[in-house]
């Protein structure tokens, strides 16, 4: 549990520092706009840490937080991020996503990939999936989240300046983390199941 709190705490602190230290007027939007950014980045890193922990455990090198616990922590962040984002979905908050009162092409792509990622995460959270199916589902989820974050970065740009505390954007940090997660996932790909003998062969052995 302390590791989960540290992950969320650092992400929230980063969001507050980046958006509030040199632009204190932004702290008026702390409860939703700023904290939503921290929550979303923490959720992405929780999924990455789940894959990292799984990779380490398969090599017998870790007895820390369970991968499933990291995944559940990421799930919490997703369920919090979605309603907060929908509540803020207006040009006053995200003018880069809009053309007039409507979403731009890129703005719609952001929410398309985000919605597909949420659906994929929901499917991963359901029991009964084979290891191979879960691996492919995890890869699809990471790619969808990466597409969601990339479109957001394309819309918002880098914005490394004084009003943002000269810190790199959170979408960029999330994208780097997701790339690491994909790398961990590719190194833990389950092998193909061993082929079973045909029915006729098994029957012959019994005789």
């Amino acid at each position: 549990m302390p590791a989960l709190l540290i992950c969320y705490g650092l992400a929230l602190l980063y969001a507050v520092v980046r958006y509030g230290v040199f632009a204190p007027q932004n702290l008026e939007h702390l409860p939703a706009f700023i904290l939503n950014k921290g929550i979303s980045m923490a959720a992405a890193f929780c999924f990455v840490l789940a894959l990292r922990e799984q990779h380490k455990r398969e090599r017998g090198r870790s007895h820390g937080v369970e991968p499933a616990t990291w995944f559940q922590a990421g799930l919490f962040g997703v369920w919090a991020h979605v309603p907060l984002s929908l509540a803020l979905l207006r040009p006053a908050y995200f003018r880069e996503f809009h053309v007039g009162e409507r979403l731009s092409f890129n703005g719609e792509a952001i929410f398309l990939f985000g919605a597909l990622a949420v659906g994929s995460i929901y499917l991963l959270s359901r029991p009964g999936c084979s290891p191979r199916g879960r691996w492919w589902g995890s890869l699809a989820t990471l790619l969808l989240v990466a597409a969601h974050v990339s479109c957001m970065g394309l819309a918002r740009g880098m914005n490394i300046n004084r009003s943002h505390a000269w810190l790199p954007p959170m979408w960029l940090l999330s994208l780097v983390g997701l790339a690491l997660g994909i790398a961990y996932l590719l190194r833990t790909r389950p092998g193909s199941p061993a082929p079973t003998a045909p029915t006729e062969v098994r029957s012959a052995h019994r005789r």
Side-chain angles (χ1 to χ4, degrees), residues 79-94:
W79 299 150
H81 174 59
V82 170
L84 284 171
S85 297
L86 293 176
L88 298 169
L89 183 57
R90 59 193 68 183
Y93 283 102
F94 297 107

Side-chain angles (χ1 to χ4, degrees), residues 8 43 46-47 70-80 118 121-122 125:
Y8 270 90
C46 282
F47 291 134
W70 280 117
F71 179 80
Q72 291 167 359
L75 206 57
F76 162 80
V78 169
W79 299 150
V118 170
I121 290 169
Y122 168 73
S125 68

Side-chain angles (χ1 to χ4, degrees), residues 9 12 18 29 39 42 64-65 71 77 117 133 145-146 173 185 188 205:
L12 294 172
R18 186 170 195 268
H29 307 292
I39 289 171
V65 179
F71 179 80
V145 176
L173 298 181
L185 188 64
T188 58
H205 281 304

Side-chain angles (χ1 to χ4, degrees), residues 46-178:
C46 282
F47 291 134
V48 172
L49 289 168
L51 294 170
R52 177 177 179 269
E53 190 64 27
Q54 182 67 31
H55 177 261
K56 291 171 65 177
R57 282 172 182 266
E58 290 187 358
R59 284 152 180 76
R61 295 186 299 181
S62 176
H63 301 285
V65 179
E66 291 282 346
T69 303
W70 280 117
F71 179 80
Q72 291 167 359
L75 206 57
F76 162 80
V78 169
W79 299 150
H81 174 59
V82 170
L84 284 171
S85 297
L86 293 176
L88 298 169
L89 183 57
R90 59 193 68 183
Y93 283 102
F94 297 107
R95 65 180 182 276
E96 305 93 341
F97 302 171
H98 291 80
V99 177
E101 294 298 318
R102 294 177 178 269
L103 285 170
S104 65
F105 180 90
N106 193 42
E108 291 193 8
I110 290 169
F111 282 89
L112 169 66
F113 289 125
L116 292 175
V118 170
S120 183
I121 290 169
Y122 168 73
L123 292 177
L124 283 176
S125 68
R126 294 174 60 84
C129 188
S130 68
R132 192 169 181 80
R134 185 170 296 279
W135 187 91
W136 281 108
S138 298
L139 180 60
T141 299
L142 288 178
L143 291 174
L144 287 169
V145 176
H148 170 71
V149 173
S150 297
C151 288
M152 190 174 300
L154 185 63
R156 308 210 70 177
M158 297 296 286
N159 291 324
I160 301 178
N161 49 43
R162 187 178 186 279
S163 64
H164 292 85
W166 302 105
L167 293 173
M170 301 180 75
W171 67 262
L172 181 61
L173 298 181
S174 298
L175 195 60
V176 171
L178 290 166

